[in-house]
Amino acid sequence: MNIVRTSLFLLLILASTSCQPKNKSDKPETAQKVEENHSVEVKLTADQLKGYETAYFASGCFWCVEAIFESVKGVKEVYSGYSGGTEKNPTYKEVSYGKTTHAEAVEVYYDPNIISFTQLVQVFFGSHDPTSLNRQGPDRGAQYRSIAFYKDEAQKKIITDYIAQLEAENVYGRPIVTEVKKFDKFYRAEEYHQDYEKRNPDNSYIRNVSIPRLNRFKENFKAYLKKGAH
């Protein structure tokens, strides 16, 4: 549990830059221009991802969360998007301004022969503050809440058992407020949000929040990392 404690301590030391739209670029053309100057792998298609399992998590700005899970061994692809709410086909502006009941979330495609759902849950809890209600670092609002989604009772038990273990050992010193929610629907975010951290390394939020958060995770979860994880 030391890595979780260390991660929590470091996650609390965040820059004041916000992931809200005033600091995020909500113009597709801006992201596309940056992409032209940085080589980024194209997202895999549904056909290419056949045979992989999926898991869904929400823990703050999806730019950060996507980058973290993409660095994990056994993870083939990660998409940023929206989940946890009731509105159909939500847009970035609607979600980021809190006009829906959705949260920014990620869809993780993984090989269960390399990384287990249990380990992904450990990555989730070890890479954000699950005691912070409707907030992660500088980002505030229910759209940034902590949610661990489950697709069946076995996954639900894995999540709830791990929460019980963390609380029994008083790892965080405060109650865990993560929602444990049955997965329903994931809406992929607009194309320019995918791989945003890789495409926009000079963005102020990426420099001040996303990259430090990713580096802290990598330092504390070395055994979970892909070889050559950026």
Side-chain angles (χ1 to χ4, degrees):
M1 293 303 163
N2 289 336
I3 57 175
V4 178
R5 288 192 177 94
T6 302
S7 296
L8 174 62
F9 174 76
L10 292 172
L11 282 167
L12 296 177
I13 308 173
L14 290 172
S16 59
T17 309
S18 173
C19 195
Q20 297 281 5
K22 64 178 180 287
N23 284 302
K24 276 188 173 183
S25 170
D26 57 6
K27 298 180 180 179
E29 61 269 25
T30 301
Q32 289 168 357
K33 287 180 180 178
V34 174
E35 182 183 359
E36 292 174 1
N37 297 321
H38 297 274
S39 177
V40 178
E41 294 181 5
V42 176
K43 287 291 190 186
L44 298 178
T45 65
D47 285 341
Q48 293 171 312
L49 291 169
K50 284 181 179 178
Y52 290 92
E53 297 291 333
T54 53
Y56 300 86
F57 301 98
S59 57
C61 174
F62 51 24
W63 294 348
C64 305
V65 186
E66 179 187 5
I68 286 168
F69 278 100
E70 283 190 335
S71 72
V72 174
K73 64 183 179 181
V75 172
K76 187 65 174 178
E77 187 63 274
V78 184
Y79 278 93
S80 288
Y82 318 109
S83 195
T86 58
E87 297 82 4
K88 294 182 178 180
N89 303 312
T91 66
Y92 169 64
K93 286 186 177 180
E94 290 170 343
V95 175
S96 59
Y97 279 109
K99 295 181 179 180
T100 76
T101 53
H102 288 289
E104 290 193 9
V106 294
E107 179 179 48
V108 181
Y109 285 85
Y110 68 99
D111 183 347
N113 295 313
I114 300 175
I115 189 88
S116 67
F117 181 75
T118 298
Q119 289 172 311
L120 291 178
V121 169
Q122 292 170 349
V123 168
F124 166 72
F125 280 103
S127 60
H128 80 295
D129 178 6
T131 71
S132 180
L133 182 63
N134 296 335
R135 177 177 180 176
Q136 282 303 309
D139 303 313
R140 303 183 182 188
Q143 65 271 38
Y144 301 111
R145 67 192 185 274
S146 173
I147 312 174
F149 294 94
Y150 64 90
K151 295 193 291 185
D152 55 38
E153 289 303 309
Q155 289 188 346
K156 181 179 181 180
K157 187 175 188 305
I158 288 171
I159 297 167
T160 55
D161 284 355
Y162 192 61
I163 290 175
Q165 179 183 347
L166 292 172
E167 293 195 319
E169 297 182 12
N170 197 30
V171 170
Y172 296 100
R174 297 189 298 274
I176 291 174
V177 297
T178 297
E179 291 182 31
V180 181
K181 191 177 184 69
K182 180 67 182 291
F183 175 72
D184 180 26
K185 178 74 175 178
F186 179 82
Y187 296 93
R188 288 185 182 174
E190 296 81 350
E191 188 278 335
Y192 69 96
H193 285 299
Q194 309 303 332
D195 290 322
Y196 198 92
E197 181 264 343
K198 292 179 183 176
R199 295 181 178 186
N200 299 271
D202 297 326
N203 175 278
S204 61
Y205 183 88
I206 296 299
R207 289 199 315 267
N208 295 319
V209 180
S210 295
I211 292 176
R213 180 176 171 182
L214 174 61
N215 288 339
R216 288 191 294 268
F217 167 76
K218 289 162 62 178
E219 179 63 27
N220 291 303
F221 283 80
K222 292 178 180 179
Y224 283 59
L225 299 178
K226 294 174 180 174
K227 290 183 179 180
H230 86 287

